[in-house]
Amino acid sequence: MMRVLAQRLATSALSLVLLVTMVFFMIYATPGGPAYSILGVHASPLAVAALDRQMGLEHPLWQQYLTWWIHLLHGNLGYSFTQHAPVIDLMGSYLHNTLLLDAVAAGLAITLSIALGLLQGATAGRGLGRVIGAWQIVTYSLPSFFVGTVLILVFAADLGWLPPGGIRGSTGGPGFAADLWRHLLLPAVTLALPLTAGLSRYFGQQVRHEYREDYVRAARARGLAPLRIALAHVLRNAVRPLVTVIGLSVPALFVGGVLTESVFNYPGLGWLLWRSALEQDYPTVTALVLLIGLLTILGNLLADIINSLLDVQVRYD
Amino acid sequence: MNANPDTILAVAGLTLARGPRHRPEILVDDLSLTIQAGEMLALVGESGSGKSLSAAAVFGLLPAGVRRIAGSIRLQGQELTGRSERALRAIRGRAMGLVFQNPLTALNPSLSVQAQIAEVYRVHRQGSRTAARARASALLAEVGLQDLSGPRDHYPHQLSGGMRQRAMIAMALACDPPLLVADEPTTALDVLVQAQILALLARLQRERGLAILFITHDLRLAARTADRLLVLYAGAIMEEGAVADVFEAPRHPYTKALKAAIPPLPATSQRLFEIPGLPPPPGPPPSGCRFAPRCGHVRPDCRDAVPPLRGAPARFACFHPCQDQ
């Protein structure tokens, strides 16, 4: 167990180093150089040279690379010229909103996926199983800006049940939690829909596979009811590989958040990435790309750890 | 059929088929058998002869596409055919237990064997958790797994093949059913463990007065363990009777050929006997005896009509039975 953990940690650390290095060279390789792209196409050579000096770009490559690392390790992600604030502070003020939205969306997607996948696996090849399969393809293919817009049109504009965007209404105080939920609901559904499609399809396949196993036949021969077989026997075996896939979906959730948060004007990191990209705020975009990479690595690591824990529980309990 | 109160299982005229209704493929043709309390009947036949399918029919768990087109199945006098799925569920596991060929795949890998045994008891007897757990411990001890009857959980992968099959048997007996169906229970095990499992089945048969339907392709094993033999070929009964009659003095050429195909012990360098040809594929019932194409004693009239089951006490379906040799 400890050996596996150490191995996974080492792999993750290596991935992290590669990620940071790649992002460094990405910036370095921007056409015309970083200063040129910050200042725009029409910048005078003098201004570019000045910014080069300010950003330390006149130093040799290895020195810049080292400086890049030192800055990162000190939490210095650069300075946003458009927002006039250090990038790290900027990210800090949006992070919790994204974490909240992603957690709600992930919770929704996982719950729905397990229910749908069980149904789909148990009714594979029959009517309901096919309907669920079609639903998955449709919801997986629909772009989130479209789904988000339709949801806003229906539930906010027409029915007026939910707010069209933002994170809280003008009123604060007592109804704060309820108000927050009302704001979270539509973006969370938009974000959860394609994730549910992918997760439930994968899980449905697992369930279908488990249903063909001898132990299911044996459970039937013992007179166990279908619901009991599904929940107490099949679910337990089918859910384990799902953990890995959920871990791998963490960055997808974050990336999906870019469009969803923009559509709903939800002040999270995705929205920040969208804004920064439009305003050519390179330091912020770079930092967010690094964060997505970091999330990918962490998601993988987490899935590995949870899986080996589950395994150990069965093996050494 | 109900004359004898000790009759646990009585199958009469069971016919199973698949395919279109107007031209069905008959898989099991007019199977009749009875098992008394404390008796072991071995259903012997090659792969595809319909043995396991017959067991599935008893449990009402026929695979998709296979249907019962005739016959009755009575368990302790109660008709099982035509019952709702719900009613059958209450009977499976409670009044009849099933043991599978491969105990590793038939056990849920992520539940302890104790939990799986206790589950059957709780579902059918509505007992408390502690009562079910105590029941699991007692059963494990009864099948020779005293080491597993303590409070610790044991998962299938921690057990050897023989232990797993013992656990499967304990699970099948959780609610003290009068009938146990063992479908090739020793095929996935090595020879020594095979003997132990068969000894365990024989002991349970004796001690509990259990009726056992033992399904196997191994005639020698069947003859050594069971009280009576029923030889199936291509879905139909060839010969049936006490081991002393059927195995020692087979009347049907098929039984005789099966017996001749048993490899001699100790092994010799002689070429092993095999029955020439292959069993017929399922299809419309042939005119005449099913075994005729492979039979060494075939005569012209064998191909004209299906030989009926005759004889007493041992019955056989052959126009020209082998004489005592």
Side-chain angles (χ1 to χ4, degrees):
Chain A
M1 171 66 194
M2 287 323 278
R3 243 195 64 206
V4 174
L5 196 64
Q7 247 174 26
R8 296 283 183 255
L9 277 173
T11 318
S12 301
L14 186 68
S15 311
L16 196 64
V17 171
L18 281 173
L19 168 75
V20 169
T21 309
M22 275 168 63
V23 171
F24 170 77
F25 281 106
M26 255 166 56
I27 308 168
Y28 198 80
T30 34
Y36 197 62
S37 38
I38 287 170
L39 294 173
V41 207
H42 304 295
S44 71
L46 220 63
V48 170
L51 191 59
D52 270 356
R53 226 180 352 270
Q54 192 191 331
M55 300 202 307
L57 289 175
E58 82 280 16
H59 296 300
L61 188 60
W62 64 268
Q63 207 174 337
Q64 286 181 44
Y65 181 69
L66 267 184
T67 317
W68 164 248
W69 266 107
I70 290 165
H71 282 171
L72 277 184
L73 292 176
H74 283 90
N76 179 0
L77 295 174
Y79 188 85
S80 164
F81 296 97
T82 52
Q83 308 263 347
H84 303 291
V87 171
I88 188 90
D89 294 350
L90 212 54
M91 281 168 61
S93 56
Y94 291 108
L95 178 68
H96 57 280
N97 286 343
T98 289
L99 287 182
L100 181 65
L101 177 61
D102 286 2
V104 172
L108 197 64
I110 292 168
T111 316
L112 278 175
S113 297
I114 288 177
L116 273 180
L118 269 180
L119 262 180
Q120 187 181 25
T123 59
R126 281 179 279 153
L128 185 60
R130 283 167 207 262
V131 170
I132 295 174
W135 161 261
Q136 285 159 339
I137 290 176
V138 170
T139 51
Y140 193 77
S141 324
L142 285 177
S144 54
F145 57 83
F146 175 76
V147 173
T149 312
V150 169
L151 287 180
I152 290 173
L153 278 175
V154 174
F155 291 98
D158 283 358
L159 298 170
W161 292 350
L162 293 165
I167 189 162
R168 56 187 66 107
S170 48
T171 50
F176 174 73
D179 183 57
L180 186 61
W181 274 114
R182 280 160 46 81
H183 280 90
L184 276 171
L185 194 57
L186 290 186
V189 167
T190 309
L191 206 49
L193 224 49
L195 189 63
T196 305
L199 283 183
S200 64
R201 199 168 183 85
Y202 177 79
F203 185 57
Q205 284 296 324
Q206 294 293 325
V207 170
R208 194 177 168 176
H209 178 78
E210 291 295 329
Y211 264 105
R212 293 202 198 109
E213 293 286 326
D214 267 355
Y215 73 81
V216 173
R217 224 154 53 89
R220 285 201 186 108
R222 274 179 255 135
L224 304 188
L227 193 66
R228 181 169 196 88
I229 293 176
L231 298 180
H233 289 263
V234 170
L235 178 62
R236 199 177 280 262
N237 289 305
V239 88
R240 227 186 295 173
L242 188 65
V243 175
T244 314
V245 184
I246 291 172
L248 297 179
S249 314
V250 171
L253 204 58
F254 188 85
V255 173
V258 175
L259 282 177
T260 307
E261 288 180 7
S262 316
V263 169
F264 288 94
N265 211 18
Y266 183 93
L269 289 176
W271 180 80
L272 180 65
L273 180 57
W274 170 262
R275 289 284 306 274
S276 310
L278 285 183
E279 291 169 3
Q280 306 197 331
D281 183 356
Y282 284 95
T284 309
V285 173
T286 308
L288 286 170
V289 167
L290 269 178
L291 182 67
I292 293 173
L294 185 68
L295 282 176
T296 311
I297 294 170
L298 284 181
N300 270 312
L301 183 65
L302 206 68
D304 276 343
I305 291 175
I306 292 176
N307 251 334
S308 59
L309 281 178
L310 282 176
D311 221 27
V312 166
Q313 219 176 21
V314 172
R315 208 161 287 167
Y316 301 108
D317 203 17
Chain B
M1 268 302 183
N2 268 333
N4 190 342
D6 279 344
T7 300
I8 300 298
L9 180 70
V11 174
L14 182 68
T15 303
L16 305 174
R18 67 172 177 205
R21 234 157 253 287
H22 57 277
R23 218 170 54 97
E25 289 177 10
I26 304 292
L27 302 173
V28 170
D29 192 4
D30 195 22
L31 174 74
S32 298
L33 60 86
T34 59
I35 310 178
Q36 314 295 320
E39 184 189 44
M40 188 190 294
L41 171 71
L43 204 55
V44 187
E46 294 169 74
S47 307
S49 60
K51 346 181 263 296
S52 296
L53 214 53
S54 305
V58 170
F59 278 78
L61 289 172
L62 286 174
V66 178
R67 59 188 190 278
R68 184 185 57 87
I69 54 179
S72 95
I73 299 165
R74 282 169 173 269
L75 183 68
Q76 292 183 298
Q78 273 189 319
E79 183 61 52
L80 296 189
T81 61
R83 288 198 175 223
S84 71
E85 174 62 23
R86 198 188 181 80
L88 281 175
R89 267 210 301 277
I91 295 169
R92 289 178 205 139
R94 186 176 59 75
M96 50 190 180
L98 183 57
V99 175
F100 286 81
Q101 175 172 347
N102 189 339
L104 180 59
T105 55
L107 285 164
N108 187 332
S110 42
L111 286 172
S112 71
V113 293
Q114 284 90 348
Q116 292 184 60
I117 298 169
E119 182 186 34
V120 191
Y121 187 75
R122 287 215 298 140
V123 163
H124 289 295
R125 294 281 167 88
Q126 278 81 38
S128 70
R129 242 167 234 282
T130 31
R133 186 68 192 206
R135 178 83 191 132
S137 293
L139 281 161
L140 285 168
E142 186 182 349
V143 299
L145 295 174
Q146 286 82 1
D147 293 351
L148 306 192
S149 58
R152 257 174 64 91
D153 271 344
H154 294 265
Y155 288 86
H157 62 85
Q158 297 171 312
L159 310 181
S160 69
M163 291 167 90
R164 285 181 202 134
Q165 196 57 295
R166 284 171 192 268
M168 281 301 292
I169 292 170
M171 208 174 295
L173 298 178
C175 298
D176 298 319
L179 173 70
L180 181 72
V181 177
D183 189 353
E184 302 267 8
T186 59
T187 307
L189 305 173
D190 69 63
V191 184
L192 278 178
V193 180
Q194 244 181 34
Q196 291 169 5
I197 294 293
L198 291 177
L200 171 64
L201 287 177
R203 199 188 85 215
L204 293 168
Q205 177 197 349
R206 200 174 57 241
E207 289 177 0
R208 286 176 162 252
L210 199 60
I212 300 181
L213 178 60
F214 176 44
I215 294 174
T216 181
H217 65 274
D218 188 334
L219 182 63
R220 176 162 51 190
L221 214 62
R224 217 167 46 194
T225 323
D227 303 305
R228 282 192 301 129
L229 299 179
L230 193 155
V231 180
L232 270 186
Y233 179 76
I237 300 179
M238 295 293 113
E239 187 159 14
E240 189 210 346
V243 169
D245 298 322
V246 176
F247 187 71
E248 301 307 333
R251 306 298 303 277
H252 199 289
Y254 178 59
T255 316
K256 202 175 168 203
L258 269 188
K259 193 180 167 190
I262 296 175
L265 278 177
T268 65
S269 56
Q270 272 182 343
R271 198 177 154 78
L272 297 177
F273 173 77
E274 57 179 314
I275 305 175
L278 290 171
S287 65
C289 177
R290 281 151 213 264
F291 188 58
R294 300 171 74 188
C295 184
H297 307 270
V298 67
R299 312 248 185 100
D301 59 335
C302 292
R303 304 186 200 270
D304 296 337
V306 178
L309 265 180
R310 62 194 171 107
R315 301 185 295 162
F316 52 88
C318 183
F319 291 128
H320 310 286
C322 313
Q323 297 307 312
D324 287 337
Q325 54 272 79

